[in-house]
Amino acid sequence: MAKSVILTGLRANSEFHLGNYLGAILPMVSLQHAHSDEYQLNMFIPDLHSLTTPIDYKKLHNQIIENLKIFIAAGIDINNKSTYLYRQSYISAHSELAWILDCFTHFGEANRMIEFKEKSKRIGNESVSVGLFNYPVLMAADILLYDAVYIPVGEDQRQHVELTRELAIRLNNRFKTEIFTVPHDWKKQMKFLSYSNGVRIRSLRKPENKMSKSVSDPAGTILLSDKPDQAAKKIMSATTDSLKKIDFDFTNQPGVSNLLQILALLTDKDQEVVNRQWRGKDNYADLKSEVAKTVSTFLEQVQTKISKVSSDTVLSKLISDELAMSKVANEKLLTVQRAVGLRADK
């Protein structure tokens, strides 16, 4: 590839909510606009990863299309020649390389993954799949197929990136050839992507937790499909505190701080500017009203933009890019297959 690659996965299943939009979608838009001249941006849909936990399988395909519409509505330029959108399951090299990498991954390495242990507790050990255990190896294949050097992920995925680096180095050393490009280490990842101050939108009802599409917290989550007046009611019912003062302090006032954070992000203002505007005031209802109005306007605008993105446009982009990325992935897979003896040398 002519340019170094930034690779990121876009959620395949479940609806997006306001926290996803502000904390994940907008940063991807900014990433494309800031770096597409210098880097190739691979934005793939990890639909195989979606099968590692229980989902509504009948909705998966359509949800992928709907979620991509949101990225486009948010500002992703699908006509950018350095940006590729593709579905993981439509490029078989992902699964084939994952199996080869499995055979070079030590059981102890995979068993140390904290993300697996935490998800296993939530799901219940009897229902945990081998796919969930194997998730980091497939993720390594996703990255190594395209020689990606930067992978925008959160701290919860740090071990997976480190495993990817270890596997790349291991196979390069084992077969005494540069089969894989080794992604940059975590320090360089964080410096380049400026993830140290990542946005984390909280639940409106349980502000000690992040906003999440959960059956146990519907009132605390604003879905991008919510009607504007419905979202406004959720804001007006948001949990605050009994301190009777407005301050940006997530330790002592997480509910109030969350509202200030949402207001700053949706009005595209510096957080401190918004904080100064409200600091010291004691009327939480006024703050909630302002945030409710801002969220309602945002939903009206974004839903209008989403409605203008056609499914045909999304599918056309996917089909075109999947053809291009299949060629790249298959070339890398063949290199690996030859190295491990599955194919004849040139």
Side-chain angles (χ1 to χ4, degrees):
M1 296 182 183
K3 297 180 179 179
S4 293
V5 176
I6 302 171
L7 181 141
T8 184
L10 312 180
R11 183 192 299 267
N13 58 292
S14 77
E15 286 187 70
F16 282 129
H17 53 67
L18 184 63
N20 298 139
Y21 189 90
L22 297 175
I25 297 175
L26 288 187
M28 287 302 101
V29 175
S30 298
L31 189 69
Q32 184 197 44
H33 294 176
H35 298 293
S36 61
D37 288 342
E38 184 180 358
Y39 292 91
Q40 175 176 305
L41 183 57
N42 283 21
M43 305 181 71
F44 82 106
I45 296 85
D47 48 357
L48 292 174
H49 287 300
S50 299
L51 304 180
T52 61
T53 54
I55 61 169
D56 189 335
Y57 302 101
K58 293 181 180 179
K59 293 183 178 180
L60 180 57
H61 175 77
N62 288 337
Q63 194 66 59
I64 290 170
I65 303 302
E66 293 306 311
N67 285 359
L68 285 176
K69 287 181 181 181
I70 294 171
F71 274 92
I72 296 170
I76 286 293
D77 179 8
I78 62 172
N79 296 315
N80 188 301
K81 294 181 180 180
S82 293
T83 297
Y84 292 88
L85 297 178
Y86 55 95
R87 290 163 289 190
Q88 182 187 39
S89 68
Y90 279 67
I91 301 176
S92 60
H94 287 252
S95 301
E96 293 186 53
L97 180 58
W99 174 254
I100 294 174
L101 294 178
D102 271 337
C103 297
F104 291 88
T105 303
H106 304 149
F107 180 82
E109 289 176 313
N111 200 40
R112 285 194 293 270
M113 297 293 116
I114 295 173
E115 181 76 357
F116 169 74
K117 294 178 180 179
E118 291 181 349
K119 284 188 176 181
S120 296
K121 290 179 181 178
R122 292 198 295 268
I123 296 171
N125 289 332
E126 292 184 0
S127 300
V128 173
S129 69
V130 174
L132 182 61
F133 182 78
N134 197 44
Y135 178 107
V137 182
L138 178 55
M139 180 174 167
D142 300 332
I143 296 166
L144 297 178
L145 277 173
Y146 305 97
D147 294 327
V149 293
Y150 288 114
I151 307 97
V153 294
E155 177 67 29
D156 60 334
Q157 298 288 311
R158 178 175 181 171
Q159 280 187 307
H160 300 175
V161 175
E162 292 173 345
L163 176 63
T164 300
R165 282 174 45 81
E166 177 58 34
L167 289 173
I169 294 169
R170 183 175 300 160
L171 270 77
N172 287 349
N173 291 340
R174 172 66 177 79
F175 297 102
K176 297 180 173 57
T177 182
E178 294 300 307
I179 302 173
F180 297 119
T181 294
V182 180
H184 292 312
D185 63 31
W186 190 252
K187 184 177 181 180
K188 288 184 178 179
Q189 298 279 346
M190 294 299 99
K191 182 177 180 181
F192 176 76
L193 298 165
S194 302
Y195 257 65
S196 58
N197 295 312
V199 172
R200 186 171 182 265
I201 303 300
R202 311 293 183 89
S203 162
L204 297 173
R205 300 307 297 271
K206 303 173 183 177
E208 65 276 7
N209 300 328
K210 68 178 182 179
M211 184 173 287
S212 174
K213 184 177 180 293
S214 169
V215 293
S216 63
D217 190 30
T221 301
I222 294 176
L223 298 174
L224 296 187
S225 61
D226 279 350
K227 293 180 180 180
D229 60 342
Q230 180 184 9
K233 290 179 181 178
K234 291 181 181 181
I235 295 290
M236 295 306 297
S237 298
T239 299
T240 50
D241 52 61
S242 59
L243 297 179
K244 297 182 180 180
K245 68 171 184 176
I246 295 175
D247 197 9
F248 190 74
D249 179 358
F250 269 109
T251 300
N252 298 306
Q253 293 187 270
V256 169
S257 301
N258 192 42
L259 293 174
L260 290 171
Q261 179 179 228
I262 291 171
L263 186 60
L265 290 168
L266 289 182
T267 56
D268 198 25
K269 294 180 180 178
D270 184 84
Q271 186 66 65
E272 185 53 37
V273 171
V274 172
N275 295 347
R276 285 199 300 268
Q277 178 185 351
W278 289 93
R279 185 176 289 125
K281 296 181 179 181
D282 58 9
N283 194 324
Y284 290 171
D286 287 347
L287 175 60
K288 288 182 178 182
S289 295
E290 184 67 20
V291 177
K293 181 174 67 174
T294 301
V295 169
S296 295
T297 300
F298 159 74
L299 286 176
E300 290 174 358
Q301 293 174 344
V302 77
Q303 288 170 5
T304 298
K305 291 178 181 178
I306 293 169
S307 70
K308 293 180 180 179
V309 181
S310 73
S311 297
D312 288 343
T313 297
V314 176
L315 284 169
S316 177
K317 174 65 173 175
L318 286 172
I319 292 169
S320 174
D321 287 358
E322 283 160 2
L323 179 62
M325 290 296 97
S326 288
K327 293 178 180 178
V328 174
N330 287 337
E331 286 182 9
K332 176 63 70 175
L333 177 62
L334 180 59
T335 298
V336 179
Q337 289 171 330
R338 283 171 171 162
V340 302
L342 295 175
R343 298 288 186 273
D345 291 337
K346 296 179 182 179

